[in-house]
Amino acid sequence: MKADIEQLLRANTYPGRGIIIGLSEDGARSILAYFIMGRSLNSRNRVFERTFDGIRTKAFNPEAMSDPSLVIYNAIRSFNGLVIVTNGDQTDTIREYLAKGLDFHSALLTREFEPDAPNYTPRISGLIMPDWSYYLSVLKTCDNDPSCCCRYFYEYPTAIPGAGRFLSTYMGDGNPLPSFVGEPVPVNISISGGIGDFAQSVWNSLNYENKVSLYARETHIFTGKSSDVIFNKNVSNAVR
């Protein structure tokens, strides 16, 4: 049974960082969304900006950025018809492995959860293939034990119209933050009003105090043309 992504997000004050991948109801558009949230001033001091091959996080006020190590990274990169999306610098690891003719799985075997005790934030990653199938992965501790990294991989060989999967770093707020558990959540994808309306509905569903930025993209399967939108809380208007 598929969940309503808006209800899912409204019920969780702190999913942290989240990936949504799926297919539009008409089966003609691949959908990707990625958002970031933050509780600390350092995490909240960010915006998304476009790069030549995707998007990255950037300090909104560089002088107020105390530690960029886990918060500044390439979040989305495209390569030879593939689209990589992650919540950290494993984006670049995956890109490097793909360039060598290796794969998503092999790249992530070299990585583990973030070294941010006591949370040990999971690394979540996705890869959209040229045929619109996709992969998702979670790297996390075993029961919050930093001596053990559990690596989970999920393959979706067929994208289903009107459906997608949602993956986040946390199950909710807390101290330490509770890591995501279970499989990526099946969700409905409804973009009858276009990618802008879909992005707005996801953005509006995120907790106001904690949300930071959102990126959403639709790619037309038959033409390859894409359109996207960025929402940055630190900037008054969406960047299209």
mmCIF file of all heavy atoms in Angstrom, residues 135-182:
data_model
loop_
_atom_site.group_PDB
_atom_site.id
_atom_site.type_symbol
_atom_site.label_atom_id
_atom_site.label_comp_id
_atom_site.label_asym_id
_atom_site.label_seq_id
_atom_site.Cartn_x
_atom_site.Cartn_y
_atom_site.Cartn_z
ATOM 1 N N TYR A 135 17.908 2.624 -8.214
ATOM 2 C CA TYR A 135 18.458 1.962 -7.041
ATOM 3 C C TYR A 135 18.407 2.920 -5.856
ATOM 4 O O TYR A 135 18.530 4.140 -6.014
ATOM 5 C CB TYR A 135 19.921 1.575 -7.268
ATOM 6 C CG TYR A 135 20.171 0.628 -8.406
ATOM 7 C CD1 TYR A 135 20.294 1.102 -9.712
ATOM 8 C CD2 TYR A 135 20.302 -0.738 -8.180
ATOM 9 C CE1 TYR A 135 20.533 0.233 -10.767
ATOM 10 C CE2 TYR A 135 20.548 -1.620 -9.223
ATOM 11 C CZ TYR A 135 20.659 -1.130 -10.519
ATOM 12 O OH TYR A 135 20.894 -1.990 -11.558
ATOM 13 N N LEU A 136 18.273 2.369 -4.666
ATOM 14 C CA LEU A 136 18.383 3.143 -3.433
ATOM 15 C C LEU A 136 19.265 2.380 -2.453
ATOM 16 O O LEU A 136 19.362 1.147 -2.538
ATOM 17 C CB LEU A 136 17.005 3.390 -2.813
ATOM 18 C CG LEU A 136 16.097 4.382 -3.544
ATOM 19 C CD1 LEU A 136 14.669 4.301 -3.020
ATOM 20 C CD2 LEU A 136 16.636 5.808 -3.415
ATOM 21 N N SER A 137 19.888 3.098 -1.547
ATOM 22 C CA SER A 137 20.759 2.455 -0.571
ATOM 23 C C SER A 137 20.752 3.230 0.741
ATOM 24 O O SER A 137 20.594 4.458 0.748
ATOM 25 C CB SER A 137 22.197 2.387 -1.103
ATOM 26 O OG SER A 137 23.089 1.922 -0.103
ATOM 27 N N VAL A 138 20.941 2.493 1.836
ATOM 28 C CA VAL A 138 21.110 3.088 3.164
ATOM 29 C C VAL A 138 22.334 2.456 3.815
ATOM 30 O O VAL A 138 22.453 1.227 3.865
ATOM 31 C CB VAL A 138 19.895 2.831 4.086
ATOM 32 C CG1 VAL A 138 20.057 3.597 5.392
ATOM 33 C CG2 VAL A 138 18.596 3.200 3.410
ATOM 34 N N LEU A 139 23.237 3.285 4.301
ATOM 35 C CA LEU A 139 24.386 2.820 5.078
ATOM 36 C C LEU A 139 24.204 3.335 6.497
ATOM 37 O O LEU A 139 24.133 4.551 6.714
ATOM 38 C CB LEU A 139 25.702 3.366 4.501
ATOM 39 C CG LEU A 139 25.917 3.250 2.983
ATOM 40 C CD1 LEU A 139 27.281 3.819 2.615
ATOM 41 C CD2 LEU A 139 25.784 1.807 2.513
ATOM 42 N N LYS A 140 24.123 2.449 7.472
ATOM 43 C CA LYS A 140 23.815 2.865 8.841
ATOM 44 C C LYS A 140 24.481 1.945 9.846
ATOM 45 O O LYS A 140 24.972 0.871 9.499
ATOM 46 C CB LYS A 140 22.301 2.856 9.055
ATOM 47 C CG LYS A 140 21.636 1.546 8.698
ATOM 48 C CD LYS A 140 20.124 1.598 8.824
ATOM 49 C CE LYS A 140 19.689 1.606 10.260
ATOM 50 N NZ LYS A 140 18.227 1.463 10.407
ATOM 51 N N THR A 141 24.494 2.367 11.104
ATOM 52 C CA THR A 141 25.041 1.517 12.153
ATOM 53 C C THR A 141 24.099 0.349 12.432
ATOM 54 O O THR A 141 22.918 0.380 12.081
ATOM 55 C CB THR A 141 25.227 2.290 13.470
ATOM 56 O OG1 THR A 141 23.942 2.690 13.947
ATOM 57 C CG2 THR A 141 26.120 3.485 13.304
ATOM 58 N N CYS A 142 24.623 -0.641 13.081
ATOM 59 C CA CYS A 142 23.797 -1.731 13.590
ATOM 60 C C CYS A 142 23.431 -1.384 15.030
ATOM 61 O O CYS A 142 24.294 -1.393 15.915
ATOM 62 C CB CYS A 142 24.562 -3.047 13.534
ATOM 63 S SG CYS A 142 23.633 -4.471 14.132
ATOM 64 N N ASP A 143 22.164 -0.994 15.237
ATOM 65 C CA ASP A 143 21.682 -0.628 16.579
ATOM 66 C C ASP A 143 22.536 0.449 17.233
ATOM 67 O O ASP A 143 22.857 0.392 18.416
ATOM 68 C CB ASP A 143 21.624 -1.871 17.480
ATOM 69 C CG ASP A 143 20.645 -2.912 16.965
ATOM 70 O OD1 ASP A 143 19.621 -2.514 16.386
ATOM 71 O OD2 ASP A 143 20.920 -4.110 17.136
ATOM 72 N N ASN A 144 22.942 1.435 16.431
ATOM 73 C CA ASN A 144 23.714 2.588 16.902
ATOM 74 C C ASN A 144 25.103 2.217 17.426
ATOM 75 O O ASN A 144 25.721 2.961 18.188
ATOM 76 C CB ASN A 144 22.956 3.386 17.968
ATOM 77 C CG ASN A 144 23.298 4.864 17.933
ATOM 78 O OD1 ASN A 144 23.330 5.471 16.859
ATOM 79 N ND2 ASN A 144 23.554 5.456 19.086
ATOM 80 N N ASP A 145 25.604 1.077 16.986
ATOM 81 C CA ASP A 145 26.956 0.643 17.349
ATOM 82 C C ASP A 145 27.913 1.075 16.232
ATOM 83 O O ASP A 145 27.878 0.519 15.125
ATOM 84 C CB ASP A 145 26.987 -0.876 17.503
ATOM 85 C CG ASP A 145 28.372 -1.403 17.841
ATOM 86 O OD1 ASP A 145 29.334 -0.611 17.863
ATOM 87 O OD2 ASP A 145 28.494 -2.629 18.062
ATOM 88 N N PRO A 146 28.778 2.064 16.464
ATOM 89 C CA PRO A 146 29.644 2.583 15.404
ATOM 90 C C PRO A 146 30.719 1.610 14.924
ATOM 91 O O PRO A 146 31.402 1.880 13.935
ATOM 92 C CB PRO A 146 30.268 3.827 16.045
ATOM 93 C CG PRO A 146 30.237 3.557 17.509
ATOM 94 C CD PRO A 146 28.981 2.779 17.746
ATOM 95 N N SER A 147 30.859 0.484 15.595
ATOM 96 C CA SER A 147 31.847 -0.502 15.146
ATOM 97 C C SER A 147 31.297 -1.373 14.019
ATOM 98 O O SER A 147 32.029 -2.171 13.434
ATOM 99 C CB SER A 147 32.279 -1.406 16.311
ATOM 100 O OG SER A 147 31.215 -2.254 16.730
ATOM 101 N N CYS A 148 30.014 -1.211 13.707
ATOM 102 C CA CYS A 148 29.374 -2.062 12.696
ATOM 103 C C CYS A 148 28.588 -1.207 11.716
ATOM 104 O O CYS A 148 27.714 -0.431 12.118
ATOM 105 C CB CYS A 148 28.440 -3.054 13.384
ATOM 106 S SG CYS A 148 27.454 -4.062 12.253
ATOM 107 N N CYS A 149 28.885 -1.345 10.420
ATOM 108 C CA CYS A 149 28.133 -0.646 9.376
ATOM 109 C C CYS A 149 27.300 -1.654 8.594
ATOM 110 O O CYS A 149 27.833 -2.612 8.015
ATOM 111 C CB CYS A 149 29.069 0.089 8.418
ATOM 112 S SG CYS A 149 28.188 0.968 7.103
ATOM 113 N N CYS A 150 26.003 -1.436 8.592
ATOM 114 C CA CYS A 150 25.089 -2.263 7.801
ATOM 115 C C CYS A 150 24.788 -1.530 6.498
ATOM 116 O O CYS A 150 24.475 -0.333 6.512
ATOM 117 C CB CYS A 150 23.789 -2.506 8.561
ATOM 118 S SG CYS A 150 23.997 -3.406 10.104
ATOM 119 N N ARG A 151 24.884 -2.239 5.393
ATOM 120 C CA ARG A 151 24.658 -1.639 4.078
ATOM 121 C C ARG A 151 23.459 -2.327 3.414
ATOM 122 O O ARG A 151 23.475 -3.541 3.205
ATOM 123 C CB ARG A 151 25.906 -1.762 3.205
ATOM 124 C CG ARG A 151 27.120 -1.029 3.768
ATOM 125 C CD ARG A 151 28.351 -1.238 2.904
ATOM 126 N NE ARG A 151 29.483 -0.450 3.379
ATOM 127 C CZ ARG A 151 30.344 -0.849 4.296
ATOM 128 N NH1 ARG A 151 30.203 -2.061 4.855
ATOM 129 N NH2 ARG A 151 31.334 -0.075 4.681
ATOM 130 N N TYR A 152 22.454 -1.527 3.062
ATOM 131 C CA TYR A 152 21.232 -2.054 2.471
ATOM 132 C C TYR A 152 21.083 -1.494 1.055
ATOM 133 O O TYR A 152 21.251 -0.290 0.832
ATOM 134 C CB TYR A 152 20.014 -1.660 3.303
ATOM 135 C CG TYR A 152 20.086 -2.138 4.743
ATOM 136 C CD1 TYR A 152 20.650 -1.335 5.737
ATOM 137 C CD2 TYR A 152 19.610 -3.397 5.103
ATOM 138 C CE1 TYR A 152 20.723 -1.764 7.054
ATOM 139 C CE2 TYR A 152 19.677 -3.838 6.422
ATOM 140 C CZ TYR A 152 20.240 -3.017 7.394
ATOM 141 O OH TYR A 152 20.313 -3.438 8.696
ATOM 142 N N PHE A 153 20.753 -2.368 0.117
ATOM 143 C CA PHE A 153 20.603 -1.972 -1.281
ATOM 144 C C PHE A 153 19.245 -2.439 -1.800
ATOM 145 O O PHE A 153 18.825 -3.568 -1.535
ATOM 146 C CB PHE A 153 21.724 -2.583 -2.125
ATOM 147 C CG PHE A 153 23.098 -2.083 -1.765
ATOM 148 C CD1 PHE A 153 23.851 -2.736 -0.789
ATOM 149 C CD2 PHE A 153 23.629 -0.961 -2.373
ATOM 150 C CE1 PHE A 153 25.113 -2.275 -0.445
ATOM 151 C CE2 PHE A 153 24.894 -0.490 -2.018
ATOM 152 C CZ PHE A 153 25.629 -1.154 -1.059
ATOM 153 N N TYR A 154 18.593 -1.564 -2.562
ATOM 154 C CA TYR A 154 17.266 -1.859 -3.096
ATOM 155 C C TYR A 154 17.253 -1.540 -4.590
ATOM 156 O O TYR A 154 17.731 -0.482 -5.017
ATOM 157 C CB TYR A 154 16.204 -1.019 -2.386
ATOM 158 C CG TYR A 154 16.228 -1.193 -0.886
ATOM 159 C CD1 TYR A 154 17.009 -0.349 -0.081
ATOM 160 C CD2 TYR A 154 15.512 -2.203 -0.261
ATOM 161 C CE1 TYR A 154 17.063 -0.513 1.291
ATOM 162 C CE2 TYR A 154 15.559 -2.383 1.111
ATOM 163 C CZ TYR A 154 16.338 -1.530 1.885
ATOM 164 O OH TYR A 154 16.388 -1.697 3.247
ATOM 165 N N GLU A 155 16.721 -2.469 -5.368
ATOM 166 C CA GLU A 155 16.675 -2.304 -6.815
ATOM 167 C C GLU A 155 15.222 -2.294 -7.279
ATOM 168 O O GLU A 155 14.440 -3.179 -6.913
ATOM 169 C CB GLU A 155 17.432 -3.448 -7.502
ATOM 170 C CG GLU A 155 17.449 -3.349 -9.010
ATOM 171 C CD GLU A 155 18.269 -4.453 -9.661
ATOM 172 O OE1 GLU A 155 18.914 -5.235 -8.910
ATOM 173 O OE2 GLU A 155 18.268 -4.542 -10.901
ATOM 174 N N TYR A 156 14.884 -1.302 -8.089
ATOM 175 C CA TYR A 156 13.527 -1.175 -8.630
ATOM 176 C C TYR A 156 13.624 -1.223 -10.154
ATOM 177 O O TYR A 156 13.824 -0.195 -10.807
ATOM 178 C CB TYR A 156 12.883 0.123 -8.136
ATOM 179 C CG TYR A 156 12.837 0.165 -6.616
ATOM 180 C CD1 TYR A 156 13.834 0.812 -5.882
ATOM 181 C CD2 TYR A 156 11.833 -0.494 -5.913
ATOM 182 C CE1 TYR A 156 13.825 0.814 -4.492
ATOM 183 C CE2 TYR A 156 11.821 -0.500 -4.520
ATOM 184 C CZ TYR A 156 12.808 0.160 -3.821
ATOM 185 O OH TYR A 156 12.801 0.153 -2.447
ATOM 186 N N PRO A 157 13.523 -2.431 -10.720
ATOM 187 C CA PRO A 157 13.769 -2.597 -12.151
ATOM 188 C C PRO A 157 12.704 -1.987 -13.049
ATOM 189 O O PRO A 157 12.950 -1.746 -14.228
ATOM 190 C CB PRO A 157 13.813 -4.123 -12.326
ATOM 191 C CG PRO A 157 13.020 -4.657 -11.181
ATOM 192 C CD PRO A 157 13.261 -3.716 -10.051
ATOM 193 N N THR A 158 11.528 -1.717 -12.491
ATOM 194 C CA THR A 158 10.450 -1.113 -13.267
ATOM 195 C C THR A 158 9.857 0.052 -12.483
ATOM 196 O O THR A 158 9.405 -0.126 -11.351
ATOM 197 C CB THR A 158 9.339 -2.135 -13.569
ATOM 198 O OG1 THR A 158 9.900 -3.250 -14.253
ATOM 199 C CG2 THR A 158 8.249 -1.499 -14.429
ATOM 200 N N ALA A 159 9.869 1.231 -13.085
ATOM 201 C CA ALA A 159 9.226 2.389 -12.468
ATOM 202 C C ALA A 159 7.726 2.311 -12.772
ATOM 203 O O ALA A 159 7.324 2.137 -13.917
ATOM 204 C CB ALA A 159 9.818 3.677 -13.018
ATOM 205 N N ILE A 160 6.898 2.408 -11.737
ATOM 206 C CA ILE A 160 5.454 2.242 -11.878
ATOM 207 C C ILE A 160 4.778 3.610 -11.956
ATOM 208 O O ILE A 160 5.019 4.473 -11.099
ATOM 209 C CB ILE A 160 4.891 1.454 -10.681
ATOM 210 C CG1 ILE A 160 5.554 0.075 -10.614
ATOM 211 C CG2 ILE A 160 3.374 1.318 -10.771
ATOM 212 C CD1 ILE A 160 5.224 -0.701 -9.363
ATOM 213 N N PRO A 161 3.943 3.859 -12.963
ATOM 214 C CA PRO A 161 3.275 5.153 -13.086
ATOM 215 C C PRO A 161 2.506 5.524 -11.811
ATOM 216 O O PRO A 161 1.805 4.708 -11.233
ATOM 217 C CB PRO A 161 2.316 4.943 -14.262
ATOM 218 C CG PRO A 161 2.995 3.910 -15.109
ATOM 219 C CD PRO A 161 3.640 2.978 -14.120
ATOM 220 N N GLY A 162 2.702 6.768 -11.370
ATOM 221 C CA GLY A 162 2.002 7.270 -10.194
ATOM 222 C C GLY A 162 2.553 6.784 -8.877
ATOM 223 O O GLY A 162 1.943 6.994 -7.830
ATOM 224 N N ALA A 163 3.712 6.140 -8.908
ATOM 225 C CA ALA A 163 4.274 5.571 -7.682
ATOM 226 C C ALA A 163 5.769 5.855 -7.590
ATOM 227 O O ALA A 163 6.450 6.072 -8.593
ATOM 228 C CB ALA A 163 4.035 4.072 -7.625
ATOM 229 N N GLY A 164 6.270 5.849 -6.373
ATOM 230 C CA GLY A 164 7.694 6.060 -6.155
ATOM 231 C C GLY A 164 8.101 5.502 -4.811
ATOM 232 O O GLY A 164 7.330 4.808 -4.143
ATOM 233 N N ARG A 165 9.330 5.806 -4.423
ATOM 234 C CA ARG A 165 9.864 5.384 -3.124
ATOM 235 C C ARG A 165 10.454 6.595 -2.411
ATOM 236 O O ARG A 165 11.053 7.474 -3.037
ATOM 237 C CB ARG A 165 10.941 4.319 -3.300
ATOM 238 C CG ARG A 165 10.420 3.008 -3.870
ATOM 239 C CD ARG A 165 9.787 2.143 -2.804
ATOM 240 N NE ARG A 165 9.104 0.978 -3.374
ATOM 241 C CZ ARG A 165 8.730 -0.079 -2.663
ATOM 242 N NH1 ARG A 165 8.973 -0.126 -1.356
ATOM 243 N NH2 ARG A 165 8.100 -1.079 -3.232
ATOM 244 N N PHE A 166 10.290 6.597 -1.099
ATOM 245 C CA PHE A 166 10.791 7.678 -0.256
ATOM 246 C C PHE A 166 11.762 7.099 0.765
ATOM 247 O O PHE A 166 11.480 6.091 1.407
ATOM 248 C CB PHE A 166 9.635 8.376 0.459
ATOM 249 C CG PHE A 166 10.063 9.299 1.556
ATOM 250 C CD1 PHE A 166 10.790 10.443 1.278
ATOM 251 C CD2 PHE A 166 9.750 9.021 2.886
ATOM 252 C CE1 PHE A 166 11.198 11.297 2.297
ATOM 253 C CE2 PHE A 166 10.141 9.873 3.912
ATOM 254 C CZ PHE A 166 10.869 11.018 3.611
ATOM 255 N N LEU A 167 12.896 7.776 0.913
ATOM 256 C CA LEU A 167 13.924 7.352 1.845
ATOM 257 C C LEU A 167 14.438 8.581 2.579
ATOM 258 O O LEU A 167 14.726 9.608 1.957
ATOM 259 C CB LEU A 167 15.068 6.693 1.066
ATOM 260 C CG LEU A 167 16.272 6.157 1.823
ATOM 261 C CD1 LEU A 167 15.861 5.096 2.831
ATOM 262 C CD2 LEU A 167 17.285 5.588 0.837
ATOM 263 N N SER A 168 14.533 8.495 3.908
ATOM 264 C CA SER A 168 15.033 9.627 4.695
ATOM 265 C C SER A 168 16.116 9.154 5.653
ATOM 266 O O SER A 168 16.305 7.947 5.846
ATOM 267 C CB SER A 168 13.895 10.303 5.470
ATOM 268 O OG SER A 168 13.311 9.414 6.396
ATOM 269 N N THR A 169 16.795 10.100 6.263
ATOM 270 C CA THR A 169 17.868 9.727 7.191
ATOM 271 C C THR A 169 17.328 9.334 8.562
ATOM 272 O O THR A 169 17.891 8.470 9.224
ATOM 273 C CB THR A 169 18.886 10.874 7.345
ATOM 274 O OG1 THR A 169 18.199 12.087 7.652
ATOM 275 C CG2 THR A 169 19.686 11.051 6.078
ATOM 276 N N TYR A 170 16.229 9.977 8.998
ATOM 277 C CA TYR A 170 15.725 9.756 10.359
ATOM 278 C C TYR A 170 14.241 9.389 10.362
ATOM 279 O O TYR A 170 13.496 9.737 9.436
ATOM 280 C CB TYR A 170 15.920 11.001 11.224
ATOM 281 C CG TYR A 170 17.304 11.585 11.178
ATOM 282 C CD1 TYR A 170 17.508 12.900 10.772
ATOM 283 C CD2 TYR A 170 18.414 10.829 11.552
ATOM 284 C CE1 TYR A 170 18.785 13.443 10.733
ATOM 285 C CE2 TYR A 170 19.693 11.367 11.513
ATOM 286 C CZ TYR A 170 19.876 12.680 11.088
ATOM 287 O OH TYR A 170 21.139 13.211 11.046
ATOM 288 N N MET A 171 13.843 8.748 11.440
ATOM 289 C CA MET A 171 12.435 8.403 11.639
ATOM 290 C C MET A 171 11.674 9.522 12.347
ATOM 291 O O MET A 171 10.453 9.507 12.422
ATOM 292 C CB MET A 171 12.310 7.123 12.464
ATOM 293 C CG MET A 171 12.904 5.902 11.795
ATOM 294 S SD MET A 171 12.169 5.530 10.178
ATOM 295 C CE MET A 171 10.512 5.033 10.664
ATOM 296 N N GLY A 172 12.395 10.491 12.903
ATOM 297 C CA GLY A 172 11.781 11.581 13.631
ATOM 298 C C GLY A 172 12.825 12.312 14.440
ATOM 299 O O GLY A 172 14.031 12.046 14.334
ATOM 300 N N ASP A 173 12.373 13.237 15.270
ATOM 301 C CA ASP A 173 13.284 14.009 16.110
ATOM 302 C C ASP A 173 13.708 13.172 17.317
ATOM 303 O O ASP A 173 13.072 12.172 17.657
ATOM 304 C CB ASP A 173 12.609 15.297 16.568
ATOM 305 C CG ASP A 173 13.607 16.419 16.776
ATOM 306 O OD1 ASP A 173 14.800 16.123 16.963
ATOM 307 O OD2 ASP A 173 13.183 17.588 16.757
ATOM 308 N N GLY A 174 14.764 13.587 17.997
ATOM 309 C CA GLY A 174 15.230 12.867 19.179
ATOM 310 C C GLY A 174 16.685 13.158 19.449
ATOM 311 O O GLY A 174 17.353 13.865 18.689
ATOM 312 N N ASN A 175 17.197 12.614 20.531
ATOM 313 C CA ASN A 175 18.604 12.776 20.882
ATOM 314 C C ASN A 175 19.104 11.504 21.565
ATOM 315 O O ASN A 175 18.788 11.285 22.729
ATOM 316 C CB ASN A 175 18.800 13.988 21.791
ATOM 317 C CG ASN A 175 20.267 14.316 21.988
ATOM 318 O OD1 ASN A 175 21.102 13.954 21.164
ATOM 319 N ND2 ASN A 175 20.578 14.997 23.081
ATOM 320 N N PRO A 176 19.828 10.640 20.839
ATOM 321 C CA PRO A 176 20.235 10.824 19.453
ATOM 322 C C PRO A 176 19.067 10.657 18.486
ATOM 323 O O PRO A 176 18.031 10.106 18.835
ATOM 324 C CB PRO A 176 21.283 9.712 19.243
ATOM 325 C CG PRO A 176 20.871 8.636 20.198
ATOM 326 C CD PRO A 176 20.346 9.370 21.403
ATOM 327 N N LEU A 177 19.287 11.137 17.278
ATOM 328 C CA LEU A 177 18.253 11.036 16.249
ATOM 329 C C LEU A 177 18.061 9.583 15.840
ATOM 330 O O LEU A 177 19.041 8.862 15.602
ATOM 331 C CB LEU A 177 18.650 11.873 15.037
ATOM 332 C CG LEU A 177 18.542 13.388 15.225
ATOM 333 C CD1 LEU A 177 19.414 14.117 14.217
ATOM 334 C CD2 LEU A 177 17.097 13.838 15.106
ATOM 335 N N PRO A 178 16.812 9.110 15.765
ATOM 336 C CA PRO A 178 16.562 7.718 15.387
ATOM 337 C C PRO A 178 16.744 7.494 13.886
ATOM 338 O O PRO A 178 16.074 8.123 13.065
ATOM 339 C CB PRO A 178 15.099 7.501 15.806
ATOM 340 C CG PRO A 178 14.480 8.862 15.737
ATOM 341 C CD PRO A 178 15.560 9.828 16.115
ATOM 342 N N SER A 179 17.659 6.618 13.525
ATOM 343 C CA SER A 179 17.936 6.337 12.115
ATOM 344 C C SER A 179 16.741 5.708 11.415
ATOM 345 O O SER A 179 15.925 5.020 12.027
ATOM 346 C CB SER A 179 19.136 5.393 11.991
ATOM 347 O OG SER A 179 20.313 6.013 12.416
ATOM 348 N N PHE A 180 16.667 5.937 10.106
ATOM 349 C CA PHE A 180 15.632 5.327 9.279
ATOM 350 C C PHE A 180 15.675 3.810 9.422
ATOM 351 O O PHE A 180 16.757 3.221 9.448
ATOM 352 C CB PHE A 180 15.846 5.719 7.819
ATOM 353 C CG PHE A 180 14.802 5.191 6.877
ATOM 354 C CD1 PHE A 180 13.637 5.899 6.641
ATOM 355 C CD2 PHE A 180 14.979 3.972 6.233
ATOM 356 C CE1 PHE A 180 12.669 5.415 5.775
ATOM 357 C CE2 PHE A 180 14.013 3.477 5.372
ATOM 358 C CZ PHE A 180 12.860 4.194 5.142
ATOM 359 N N VAL A 181 14.508 3.186 9.500
ATOM 360 C CA VAL A 181 14.432 1.728 9.573
ATOM 361 C C VAL A 181 13.460 1.213 8.510
ATOM 362 O O VAL A 181 12.531 1.908 8.114
ATOM 363 C CB VAL A 181 13.972 1.236 10.964
ATOM 364 C CG1 VAL A 181 14.988 1.587 12.021
ATOM 365 C CG2 VAL A 181 12.611 1.801 11.341
ATOM 366 N N GLY A 182 13.696 -0.015 8.078
ATOM 367 C CA GLY A 182 12.818 -0.637 7.104
ATOM 368 C C GLY A 182 13.223 -0.328 5.671
ATOM 369 O O GLY A 182 14.273 0.270 5.402
#
